[in-house]
Amino acid sequence: MADHLDLHTVGDLLHHYPRRYAERGELTRLSDLPLDEHVTVVAQVADARVHTFNGGRGRRLEVTITDGSGRLQLVFFGKGVHKPRTELQPGTRAMFAGKVSVFNRKRQLAHPEFKTLGAGSGAETVEAFANQLLPLYPACKQMESWQIQQAVDTVLGPAGHEESALAGLIDPLPESLREGRGLATLPEALRKIHRPGTKADIATARDRLKWDEAFVLQVALARRRQADAQLPAAPRKPAPDGLLTAFDARLPFTLTEGQRKVSEEIFADLATDHPMHRLLQGEVGSGKTMVALRAMLGVVDAGGQAAMLAPTEVLAQQHHRSITEMMGELASWGLWREAPPQKGGGGRREGGMLGGAERGTKVVLLTGSMGAAARRQALLDLVTGEAGIVIGTHALIEDKVQFHDLGLVVVDEQHRFGVEQRDALRSKGKQPPHLLVMTATPIPRTVAMTVFGDLETSVLDQLPSGRSPIASHVVPARDKPHFLTRAWERVREEVAAGHQGYVVCPRIGDEEDESKAAKEKSAEDEAEKRPPLAVVDVAEQLVKGPLSDLRVEVLHGRMQPEAKDEVMRRFAAGEVDVLVATTVIEVGVNVPNATAMVIMDADRFGVSQLHQLRGRVGRGSAAGLCLLVTDMPEGSPARARLGAVAATLDGFELSRIDLEQRREGDVLGQAQSGVRSSLRVLAVIDDEEVIAAAREEAATIVAADPELAGYPQLRTALDALLDKERAEFLDKG
């Protein structure tokens, strides 16, 4: 139990809550059982038969169970036939647990664990079972739901005496808060969640336990914010009539109201003597890069350096290109050695070129694939302060990279970076640098309060003028093949009108890729009997078929950086009509003339990812078109997901749908800290009011008592939540 369910103590067991409850008359719908998942069902045996094979030497027991909504077959082989053959007679009601598989196109449980709920349908047995809510626990093969229930029963003791067994529990909620909010005591909540008499008991218990989770988490984040506020940082106020002023003067457009407002928030943070920790969220194309660049120029004006961390080389190169283009001659006073030495300067500008009279600074790129000479020069420019702005990938984090005076770190697409990597870059400043985190994935307010609870949040929700709407449609290729034919016609029409298009595929398509895809087949793939469509194959089919007279090129992540750059350069220059690509174009590719996008096997992408991809078209004055091609049947969850994407351009609404489907995982960063979810009853989407209220209560308590000296039990609960890994995650976040 300890290894498989991570339950090591009595406390762990008591906080392993039932996933749901079975009751008489409420039978689990067998018709909805998910494939390849470990399930527990309550059902009645309809039929049981033994079949022989291998000339009578082999035996197989087939049991059919029913719950009114559907039927499910159970199979037992060999010596495993004896016990179920005796106990699973027709009419027997039982709990069954096992992994759902498919045989002969029918769902089944092979060798499930089972526990009868009274033989036959005798009146006393049914009555004993009748009014009881049966807790069904998150389980695994090694530890079934009812075995967990037996362990919980052992800990709780006889009915009616649970309070004494639970008396010594640590209660994280201050009593005044609990009473003020009208919440149950912890012993009462645990008794009611494990042994509910009514559904009202379950609701009472869950209300209380949600508060525990939300409150302890918000206290952790409030203490983190408090600690950040105590850290020293160098205030970075832009020089009047400096680089930022010169940059603003040469802008060919005016900033949106949103960009101005967010910039003011950022510059106010940069002017303080403790580090900025700000999250900047904005839709693709809302102008985040412009806001970040102005912040970086302001820091350079103030004598510091700014680093932008990008998740991929393609994106780092794209940022470097677009930033140097935006800055024009302000970034062109490049190699100082070509300029005449200034008096007393020995060939270097005063302050390392960070704010001399000739307003300008060097913008360098640092990536893993750079040549040795270019890399040496970039490293030298950083340590001397010659470069005011550096844009790079993980290469920026290496030990040998040293800065003259790092004042600001901008992290693009934060969710792609581990916490340790951000921490390593931040440690390169003489004092903690200011931090600006950018994401194009809209984050619902509750998630921002939990996942990014230590960051101040700014939102860019206006698109710059000149951006066009994007029309999105689902193309059901299997149901209506003529829709796919029309999709290719639409691409040709866009090209004929002088525009360009993308075709996006989930896979690249070579031997290595094929074998990987074969290993990773999901249940849906099995049903379809085909691997995801590949860039290489689709491009070949298009060139030979529907797009035969167009200029079609391929782009994917396994190409050499120079080859990728060359293809992107030619596409941006209008020398390529249609780019067939993987999601390498998801972030950072900006071609205003591209108006059409066809996403093949769109059901294999996440909601947020589809939204990101779609944001690559309609970036100019012409309207955008996004076609979501799928083989999934109507009525399937995948089709519903695609329908949602086609129905709205509101990224916040889509991120909410995405989160509801994926669930939230561990808000302390399961992907980054590798630990199991700390949330058991709290759902960050559904429990917005609880999270917001807990945040307020936590802020009040931490402001009055940062060390929690007056709250020893809360302190203990916090230590338990922030085990070593999670504490490191929060410290570095």
Side-chain angles (χ1 to χ4, degrees):
M1 183 148 73
D3 292 341
H4 297 287
L5 291 172
D6 197 21
L7 305 179
H8 302 272
T9 65
V10 168
D12 289 343
L13 179 64
L14 289 173
H15 289 293
H16 186 75
Y17 309 130
R19 191 191 300 277
R20 55 195 175 82
Y21 301 83
E23 56 183 320
R24 188 183 176 205
E26 179 242 35
L27 293 166
T28 312
R29 290 181 63 83
L30 294 180
S31 54
D32 295 340
L33 290 182
L35 272 179
D36 291 332
E37 281 197 23
H38 205 84
V39 298
T40 302
V41 297
V42 178
Q44 193 163 354
V45 177
D47 185 51
R49 293 178 186 179
V50 175
H51 300 271
T52 57
F53 53 94
N54 280 353
R57 289 192 302 276
R59 289 191 303 162
R60 180 176 78 249
L61 172 65
E62 291 183 359
V63 178
T64 305
I65 59 173
T66 179
D67 69 348
S69 76
R71 297 164 82 84
L72 181 70
Q73 192 167 57
L74 318 176
V75 290
F76 303 87
F77 295 96
K79 293 178 181 173
V81 164
H82 302 304
K83 182 173 182 271
R85 187 182 183 187
T86 308
E87 297 187 15
L88 297 180
Q89 299 296 320
T92 302
R93 190 178 174 83
M95 291 171 73
F96 303 91
K99 193 172 182 181
V100 184
S101 57
V102 169
F103 181 72
N104 276 347
R105 305 189 69 164
K106 287 185 180 170
R107 294 177 191 224
Q108 67 170 27
L109 297 182
H111 282 280
E113 298 279 335
F114 65 90
K115 180 186 181 187
T116 58
L117 295 168
S121 52
E124 318 80 45
T125 314
V126 173
E127 277 309 308
F129 174 70
N131 300 316
Q132 191 181 354
L133 285 160
L134 286 176
L136 299 179
Y137 290 87
C140 64
K141 188 176 179 182
Q142 292 77 9
M143 178 63 63
E144 302 298 351
S145 174
W146 54 83
Q147 292 170 302
I148 297 169
Q149 186 188 354
Q150 286 169 348
V152 170
D153 281 345
T154 303
V155 171
L156 292 178
H161 295 81
E162 297 93 348
E163 303 283 330
S164 56
L166 298 170
L169 282 173
I170 289 163
D171 188 341
L173 287 194
E175 196 166 337
S176 57
L177 188 161
R178 183 184 65 71
E179 289 176 352
R181 297 273 173 183
L183 298 168
T185 63
L186 186 57
E188 182 191 351
L190 289 172
R191 175 177 61 78
K192 286 182 173 177
I193 199 127
H194 291 295
R195 290 178 173 172
T198 62
K199 288 186 176 178
D201 283 352
I202 300 168
T204 300
R206 291 176 69 85
D207 285 348
R208 159 64 208 245
L209 297 169
K210 279 179 184 182
W211 255 94
D212 284 14
E213 290 178 8
F215 179 68
V216 175
L217 182 57
Q218 291 300 336
V219 167
L221 292 164
R223 293 188 74 212
R224 168 74 203 284
R225 289 194 299 275
Q226 181 96 359
D228 283 344
Q230 310 305 316
L231 285 174
R236 309 283 181 173
K237 296 179 183 174
D241 296 326
L243 189 53
L244 179 60
T245 307
F247 174 76
D248 284 348
R250 66 186 303 283
L251 277 180
F253 52 82
T254 55
L255 298 176
T256 66
E257 190 181 331
Q259 285 174 317
R260 276 200 302 275
K261 178 172 159 289
V262 169
S263 290
E264 283 169 14
E265 292 169 351
I266 290 170
F267 284 120
D269 284 356
L270 290 173
T272 62
D273 55 9
H274 59 84
M276 167 173 78
H277 290 92
R278 188 168 284 278
L279 171 70
L280 172 57
Q281 26 173 347
E283 294 276 9
V284 171
S286 60
K288 294 185 302 297
T289 308
M290 172 63 69
V291 169
L293 175 55
R294 293 186 73 248
M296 291 195 288
L297 292 173
V299 168
V300 173
D301 260 352
Q305 288 168 294
M308 180 182 265
L309 195 56
T312 64
E313 290 211 354
V314 169
L315 189 52
Q317 289 159 350
Q318 173 83 21
H319 276 318
H320 183 255
R321 196 177 302 122
S322 61
I323 281 173
T324 48
E325 282 171 8
M326 280 194 253
M327 287 176 65
E329 71 274 6
L330 298 177
S332 64
W333 200 79
L335 298 169
W336 56 268
R337 290 168 190 77
E338 295 169 5
Q342 298 174 21
K343 279 186 183 174
R348 290 193 63 235
R349 296 255 308 271
E350 190 62 36
M353 216 191 133
L354 305 179
E358 311 93 325
R359 291 171 301 193
T361 191
K362 198 167 181 182
V363 181
V364 301
L365 177 69
L366 189 63
T367 64
S369 65
M370 286 171 73
R375 187 178 178 75
R376 261 198 312 274
Q377 181 64 54
L379 290 172
L380 184 65
D381 288 340
L382 289 183
V383 75
T384 59
E386 195 68 32
I389 295 174
V390 58
I391 295 149
T393 55
H394 301 84
L396 278 178
I397 296 165
E398 293 170 10
D399 289 343
K400 64 180 82 163
V401 179
Q402 298 298 325
F403 290 85
H404 178 69
D405 180 13
L406 181 61
L408 170 66
V409 174
V410 178
V411 180
D412 193 23
E413 290 306 327
Q414 177 273 336
H415 60 282
R416 299 186 177 213
F417 281 103
V419 174
E420 288 75 16
Q421 295 162 328
R422 291 209 308 276
D423 183 51
L425 188 54
R426 280 168 58 185
S427 68
K428 291 182 180 292
K430 293 173 183 174
Q431 287 185 311
H434 299 280
L435 176 69
L436 179 65
V437 171
M438 300 198 299
T439 179
T441 307
I443 301 160
R445 178 170 165 265
T446 43
V447 186
M449 279 194 291
T450 46
V451 182
F452 300 105
D454 58 319
L455 298 175
E456 298 298 324
T457 303
S458 295
V459 179
L460 277 176
D461 48 13
Q462 273 179 296
L463 287 186
S465 57
R467 288 299 296 271
S468 302
I470 304 167
S472 304
H473 304 282
V474 178
V475 178
R478 182 175 283 182
D479 301 351
K480 298 174 180 171
H482 60 286
F483 274 39
L484 184 57
T485 307
R486 177 66 188 134
W488 300 127
E489 285 173 7
R490 284 293 291 113
V491 172
R492 296 174 63 85
E493 287 165 12
E494 290 298 311
V495 173
H499 301 302
Q500 293 159 278
Y502 299 99
V503 177
V504 182
C505 305
R507 208 161 51 86
I508 296 170
D510 55 27
E511 280 79 28
E512 182 188 335
D513 224 42
E514 295 285 354
S515 61
K516 187 178 172 205
K519 281 179 198 159
E520 293 177 354
K521 276 188 179 175
S522 69
E524 280 189 348
D525 294 342
E526 289 291 353
E528 287 187 318
K529 289 286 183 271
R530 73 163 174 78
L533 290 171
V535 165
V536 177
D537 305 333
V538 169
E540 189 179 339
Q541 289 162 16
L542 292 176
V543 168
K544 289 178 179 171
L547 306 183
S548 57
D549 54 342
L550 301 185
R551 298 169 297 176
V552 178
E553 292 268 2
V554 164
L555 180 73
H556 58 72
R558 217 170 281 147
M559 291 163 64
Q560 289 300 315
E562 305 78 40
K564 278 191 286 200
D565 256 15
E566 176 59 16
V567 170
M568 272 316 306
R569 187 197 63 72
R570 293 180 51 233
F571 186 64
E575 296 165 20
V576 175
D577 296 322
V578 177
L579 194 61
V580 184
T582 54
T583 55
V584 73
I585 63 142
E586 179 185 351
V587 283
V589 175
N590 184 20
V591 180
N593 192 45
T595 55
M597 176 176 286
V598 180
I599 303 179
M600 308 302 291
D601 280 344
D603 49 272
R604 297 177 194 249
F605 297 95
V607 169
S608 292
Q609 195 173 29
L610 290 170
H611 184 59
Q612 291 271 74
L613 286 166
R614 172 171 62 185
R616 298 291 123 212
V617 296
R619 298 175 75 84
S621 54
L625 173 70
C626 180
L627 302 174
L628 307 167
V629 180
T630 179
D631 279 352
M632 285 289 125
E634 199 166 357
S636 63
R639 274 286 282 279
R641 206 168 66 231
L642 296 181
V645 175
T648 180
L649 290 173
D650 183 340
F652 286 90
E653 175 60 26
L654 288 173
S655 69
R656 194 180 182 94
I657 293 166
D658 194 25
L659 200 66
E660 282 170 346
Q661 288 177 336
R662 288 187 294 113
R663 300 318 297 170
E664 43 277 333
D666 189 342
V667 299
L668 290 189
Q670 185 174 20
Q672 300 185 73
S673 65
V675 282
R676 194 166 71 94
S677 174
S678 62
L679 297 189
R680 289 166 174 76
V681 286
L682 188 74
V684 295
I685 280 292
D686 304 329
D687 297 321
E688 181 166 346
E689 287 179 17
V690 175
I691 292 167
R695 183 180 169 98
E696 280 179 28
E697 296 274 11
T700 304
I701 283 175
V702 170
D705 184 359
E707 294 304 310
L708 304 179
Y711 304 94
Q713 293 203 314
L714 172 56
R715 191 63 213 247
T716 307
L718 198 60
D719 292 341
L721 173 75
L722 302 181
D723 55 33
K724 186 168 180 292
E725 277 186 295
R726 280 203 184 83
E728 283 178 7
F729 170 80
L730 274 178
D731 286 344
K732 293 174 180 175

